[in-house]
Amino acid sequence: MSVRDFGLGIQARLMLGIAGVATALVAVVGLVWTTQMERELSLELDQRVARMVMLVKRNLAVPIWNMDAGSVENLLDAVMADPEVHAIEVRSESFSDKPIVRQRMGQPVEPLRSEFDVVYSSNAYAAQKSLARVSLIYSREQSQEQLQRTRRFVAALLLGVLATVVLSCYVLVKRFVKQPVLRLGALAQRVADGDLGARAEVGKRDEIGRLTEQFNAMSSSLLASSQELKRSEERYRSLYENAPAGIFQADDRGRLLSLNHALARMLGFASPAQALAAGARLRQLAELDPADYKAMARALMRDQRLQQVPLRIALPEGRQLWVELTVHRVAEPEEGGGPRIEGMITNITQRRLAEQELTHHRDHLEELVAKRTQALKQAITRAEVSSQAKSRFLATMSHEFRTPLNAILGFAQLLQMDDELRPDQRARIDSIRNSGEHLLSLISDVLDMASIEAGKVRLQPSPVDLRALLDMACDTVRLRAEQKKLMFAVDLSPHLPQRVMVDGQRLRQILLNLLSNAVKYTDAGAVCLSVQFLAWDGDRVRLRFAVGDSGIGIAEQHLSHLFQPFEQVADSARCLGGTGLGLSISQQLVQEMGGEIRVRSVLGEGSEFEFDLSLPCVI
């Protein structure tokens, strides 16, 4: 539906609505008016009939008693002079053998008949005697004509009001509603066509004027977001092109999609375009042992990622390189197009050669130990610098991903506030927001891990209300536990201090991760958080935090690598949506606080994670 159609629809609905209300109001007033007039006319007619009856009774008795036919005739003619009297009939056995009748032509309209006796008494003490029987017929013709005139007046008034209302509605709605809505529609169309930042003139400071201001603000916000997205993309592109390590993207069949300058130079090409023109697959640009390739492909399909795998490759011109490969498989990339493989290649030839040469000459070249050791240290330093660059790249890239993702989540929330969305549209927007929040949590985990590996995590202790912090952590997961019908228990020692010095955000992150895992891997039973007082050490208190559950438990052979990054020991259905970084991040944060997470678990019976912290008390 176009903006013009939408404006005409509003105009028509307003005109019909106001016209309908005015019609109903005038019709009700006219109905009440005519009904009241009809009642009054009927009452007045009844009163005139009563007066005429009294007049005939008083003036007809004497002429009939005196047998004065002329007076009777004159009286009847006088009665017939009233245009509302249709007929009068006098029957008297003593005065005339036949009834005396006066009657107009035609049929009376809604006749009103009144019959009465004419009586006479010769003196005040004599009994009254009935002299005649009179029948008086009145016609309502004049009353009906007056009522019809009133109804015609009401109908004319109704038509006049309707015409005035329709004309005024057409003019006012066109001026104050239709034209501003058309301007808003034109602005929306310009924004939809890509003219971000377009503005519409604000006419009056009414509701539509405020809506126009909001449209203008939204257009400006979209322009700012688009510009920020472009700048973020340029920063990411610069980081991608200028990274010291080789970076590539390929499809699920190994066909190269892109690579950066560092990888092109590593493979002996002047530019990425030249490398892509030389071969569609990475195996065509660098030969790899078939057995190593098959083993690596199976491991990638199984684990979805490979971490720092050393490989020896042969280049077309005959050179051989030792490289370190880190690669992961993206099952459902945002831009579509099927699964994708992303990887990073670091040249470790010098380090590998140094290691081999050192191993080969270790027992025979005592005099060259110092020189070779220095060369080895330099090679190791270069490798560490490369590894740190990789961590910085990963942290920066994860951070840059947040900017457009926050914009996506923000606009998804704005769209959810629109009450005019259809259910299917609202379901799609909910899916966008849920997927975005899930992706944001994954990026946060990756960013935390990268920051820890780069040594950039610094605790920020501050005075914290310990019980309030524990309540916040429990409230976050209690609802999920109740949804799974689990008993959620909290056991706090009565000797816990009120306030301690600790990085509350990091401690809450640790407890949330342990509690979330407990709820996630528990199908029935209970989840318990326990915080116990151990001892005082001067002005410091030693506390033991424990999270226990009655869940699936962990096999003993998996406990050794439980806290390693990207490790998940549960079945694939329960691991869906996780990164395998939570426990690793929690362990390193606890170690930064001076403790260590310990785990006790029996397969099929449950698990318990605990750690001890020594924290300063705040008075």
Side-chain angles (χ1 to χ4, degrees):
M1 180 178 291
S2 66
V3 175
R4 181 174 297 275
D5 294 334
F6 182 70
L8 289 177
I10 292 178
Q11 186 178 26
R13 287 195 294 270
L14 283 176
M15 291 174 59
L16 290 176
I18 297 175
V21 172
T23 301
L25 180 61
V26 174
V28 170
V29 172
L31 180 61
V32 173
W33 189 1
T34 55
T35 302
Q36 181 66 23
M37 177 168 287
E38 184 177 7
R39 188 181 300 113
E40 291 176 356
L41 291 175
S42 178
L43 180 60
E44 291 175 358
L45 181 61
D46 292 339
Q47 292 174 354
R48 288 195 296 273
V49 171
R51 288 197 297 270
M52 183 62 74
V53 169
M54 294 299 299
L55 181 63
V56 173
K57 282 184 177 181
R58 287 198 303 268
N59 297 326
L60 194 60
V62 174
I64 293 177
W65 176 262
N66 295 326
M67 301 295 182
D68 187 357
S71 298
V72 173
E73 294 289 342
N74 291 335
L75 179 61
L76 295 182
D77 292 337
V79 172
M80 292 301 295
D82 188 345
E84 292 183 306
V85 177
H86 180 75
I88 185 170
E89 178 182 334
V90 179
R91 296 184 301 272
S92 176
E93 295 178 356
S94 61
F95 180 74
S96 174
D97 296 334
K98 296 181 179 180
I100 303 174
V101 178
R102 294 289 189 275
Q103 184 173 358
R104 299 183 191 276
M105 299 296 293
Q107 295 295 327
V109 177
E110 296 182 10
L112 179 61
R113 180 183 296 274
S114 178
E115 294 185 357
F116 55 91
D117 293 327
V118 177
V119 297
Y120 180 77
S121 176
S122 57
N123 55 61
Y125 301 99
Q128 292 183 344
K129 180 180 180 182
S130 177
L131 301 179
R133 181 71 174 174
V134 180
S135 177
L136 183 63
I137 300 175
Y138 265 72
S139 174
R140 299 180 185 268
E141 182 176 0
Q142 290 189 349
S143 299
Q144 291 298 322
E145 289 179 356
Q146 186 176 357
L147 186 61
Q148 287 300 325
R149 287 195 298 271
T150 302
R151 288 173 177 170
R152 286 193 294 270
F153 173 75
V154 172
L157 179 62
L158 176 60
L159 292 177
V161 170
L162 284 179
T164 304
V165 168
V166 170
L167 181 59
S168 60
C169 284
Y170 177 79
V171 174
L172 294 177
V173 171
K174 182 177 181 180
R175 180 177 178 183
F176 296 111
V177 177
K178 181 179 178 180
Q179 293 178 353
V181 169
L182 289 177
R183 288 198 296 270
L184 287 179
L187 173 62
Q189 186 62 44
R190 290 173 60 189
V191 174
D193 293 338
D195 186 10
L196 301 182
R199 300 179 64 84
E201 180 183 357
V202 179
K204 297 184 178 295
R205 312 296 292 185
D206 53 7
E207 290 81 358
I208 295 182
R210 289 193 291 272
L211 182 61
T212 303
E213 292 177 348
Q214 293 173 358
F215 262 81
N216 291 337
M218 182 187 70
S219 178
S220 301
S221 177
L222 287 174
L223 178 60
S225 299
S226 176
Q227 293 174 346
E228 180 61 28
L229 183 61
K230 290 180 180 178
R231 288 193 294 268
S232 176
E233 184 178 355
E234 291 173 357
R235 289 194 295 267
Y236 164 73
R237 176 57 57 182
S238 175
L239 185 65
Y240 176 79
E241 294 294 343
N242 300 314
I247 303 173
F248 69 91
Q249 290 181 337
D251 62 14
D252 201 37
R253 297 185 178 181
R255 290 191 294 265
L256 274 176
L257 301 176
S258 66
L259 69 162
N260 66 348
H261 286 281
L263 182 56
R265 289 192 297 268
M266 189 186 305
L267 298 176
F269 297 96
S271 66
Q274 186 179 359
L276 290 174
R281 298 176 182 272
L282 192 60
R283 291 186 63 188
Q284 295 175 345
L285 303 179
E287 295 183 4
L288 183 65
D289 183 79
D292 292 342
Y293 178 79
K294 292 180 180 179
M296 185 176 62
R298 287 194 298 269
L300 181 62
M301 293 298 296
R302 182 184 66 250
D303 301 329
Q304 301 297 306
R305 63 178 61 246
L306 298 176
Q307 193 80 10
Q308 297 179 337
V309 179
L311 296 172
R312 184 171 64 179
I313 61 175
L315 302 181
E317 66 270 21
R319 287 190 305 123
Q320 290 189 346
L321 295 178
W322 278 96
V323 297
E324 190 175 71
L325 175 65
T326 297
V327 64
H328 68 277
R329 185 171 181 267
V330 182
E332 296 180 359
E334 292 180 5
E335 64 272 14
R340 188 181 66 227
I341 297 173
E342 298 176 348
M344 183 182 300
I345 297 178
T346 304
N347 189 348
I348 60 170
T349 302
Q350 295 297 326
R351 187 181 73 183
R352 192 76 177 187
L353 291 176
E355 292 174 353
Q356 291 178 352
E357 185 176 356
L358 181 63
T359 302
H360 181 70
H361 296 286
R362 181 175 50 190
D363 299 331
H364 305 288
L365 302 174
E366 292 277 336
E367 65 279 8
L368 298 178
V369 167
K371 184 184 295 186
R372 297 302 184 186
T373 302
Q374 184 64 26
L376 178 61
K377 288 181 179 180
Q378 293 176 354
I380 293 175
T381 299
R382 287 193 295 271
E384 290 175 350
V385 170
S386 176
S387 178
Q388 291 177 358
K390 176 201 66 176
S391 298
R392 287 195 300 271
F393 165 76
L394 184 60
T396 305
M397 183 172 61
S398 299
H399 180 75
E400 292 298 327
F401 281 162
R402 284 184 172 181
T403 300
L405 187 57
N406 285 331
I408 293 172
L409 290 176
F411 281 105
Q413 292 172 358
L414 288 178
L415 289 174
Q416 285 180 323
M417 296 168 63
D418 191 349
D419 295 331
E420 296 183 0
L421 292 177
R422 299 193 307 272
D424 58 334
Q425 292 175 330
R426 188 172 297 280
R428 296 189 187 102
I429 293 173
D430 292 341
S431 178
I432 291 173
R433 182 176 177 183
N434 294 336
S435 300
E437 290 175 346
H438 177 63
L439 180 58
L440 185 61
S441 66
L442 298 182
I443 291 175
S444 298
D445 285 346
V446 173
L447 184 59
D448 284 343
M449 195 64 200
S451 300
I452 291 174
E453 289 181 353
K456 294 184 178 180
V457 173
R458 296 292 183 269
L459 298 180
Q460 298 179 354
S462 62
V464 172
D465 188 329
L466 184 59
R467 292 182 181 272
L469 184 143
L470 295 174
D471 289 340
M472 291 174 60
C474 293
D475 291 340
T476 305
V477 297
R478 180 176 284 111
L479 180 59
R480 281 180 284 171
E482 292 175 353
Q483 291 174 346
K484 296 184 69 174
K485 298 182 179 180
L486 303 176
M487 186 179 71
F488 189 86
V490 179
D491 181 16
L492 303 181
S493 172
H495 304 295
L496 291 182
Q498 183 67 26
R499 293 165 63 84
V500 295
M501 287 290 294
V502 68
D503 190 333
Q505 179 180 357
R506 295 300 186 180
L507 179 58
R508 182 170 174 264
Q509 179 181 355
I510 296 167
L511 295 175
L512 279 178
N513 183 270
L514 297 178
L515 289 170
S516 298
N517 285 345
V519 173
K520 179 178 180 181
Y521 297 111
T522 302
D523 297 326
V527 173
C528 178
L529 169 65
S530 172
V531 183
Q532 300 300 323
F533 168 84
L534 297 182
W536 287 100
D537 186 9
D539 60 345
R540 303 175 70 91
V541 60
R542 188 166 183 81
L543 303 176
R544 174 165 294 170
F545 299 80
V547 175
D549 62 74
S550 59
I552 61 175
I554 305 171
E556 184 176 358
Q557 63 270 23
H558 293 154
L559 294 177
S560 59
H561 53 270
L562 182 63
F563 296 99
Q564 295 179 7
F566 307 106
E567 289 289 343
Q568 294 178 305
V569 300
D571 58 274
S572 58
R574 293 183 183 269
C575 294
L576 185 63
T579 60
L581 294 175
L583 286 178
S584 176
I585 293 173
S586 300
Q587 180 69 288
Q588 296 189 54
L589 290 176
V590 171
Q591 291 174 352
E592 289 286 336
M593 295 179 181
E596 185 175 9
I597 299 179
R598 303 178 297 275
V599 58
R600 295 188 298 272
S601 181
V602 178
L603 189 63
E605 296 183 8
S607 306
E608 183 179 26
F609 292 79
E610 66 177 22
F611 58 93
D612 300 341
L613 293 180
S614 179
L615 305 175
C617 289
V618 179
I619 300 178

